[in-house]
Amino acid sequence: DVDLRELTGGGLTGAVESSKLAGGSYEDKMNAAPVAAAAPIANGGGGGGGISMADVAKHNSKTDCWVVVDGQVLDVTSFLSDHPGGELAILTFAGKDATEEFNMIHPPDVIGKYAPDSVIGSLGGGGGAVAAGGAPAAGGAPRN
């Protein structure tokens, strides 16, 4: 085994850190404890199991766009024009689970930081707080 600290006199540790001249990035926190996912809206996904993929799949257009990321259902319709990667990057996954692709290019805190209001519930078998068509279900949380 090669010990980087011993080999370099303590100069290399193997920790990922950004350049002091780069202004920082999400990589600065790669060695820290994982950041918790953004919390769903109160009562979002409640009522017996969350929002089903069948319901999510109905929201697959530029004027009504939902995606799933890490089990959270997001209504990103109003965020499309603000997305730095362009609308098409999101619309490709409209009505689908975008978790794998999303997590490849975004830091863990990006939803909570830039689009916290987009979280409308949790993925589940159905009976969630949002009814098909985007209207709040009886007793469900109101949507923004």
Side-chain angles (χ1 to χ4, degrees), residues 70-143:
D70 291 324
Q72 293 181 312
V73 180
L74 290 77
D75 180 345
V76 292
T77 309
S78 62
F79 181 71
L80 288 173
S81 61
D82 295 328
H83 185 244
E87 294 178 349
L88 186 59
I90 295 176
L91 288 171
T92 301
F93 297 97
K96 301 176 186 172
D97 189 326
T99 300
E100 185 175 346
E101 291 79 4
F102 182 91
N103 287 338
M104 280 194 282
I105 58 175
H106 296 90
D109 64 344
V110 73
I111 294 171
K113 194 172 186 179
Y114 297 106
D117 295 338
S118 67
V119 179
I120 60 171
S122 298
L123 187 62
V130 179
R143 293 185 47 212

Side-chain angles (χ1 to χ4, degrees), residues 61-78:
S61 70
K62 187 174 180 174
T63 57
D64 184 18
C65 183
W66 290 10
V67 295
V68 174
V69 176
D70 291 324
Q72 293 181 312
V73 180
L74 290 77
D75 180 345
V76 292
T77 309
S78 62

Side-chain angles (χ1 to χ4, degrees), residues 14-33:
V16 177
E17 295 178 15
S18 70
S19 166
K20 291 179 178 143
L21 302 174
S25 75
Y26 75 93
E27 293 171 336
D28 291 345
K29 297 181 178 128
M30 288 181 81
N31 298 312

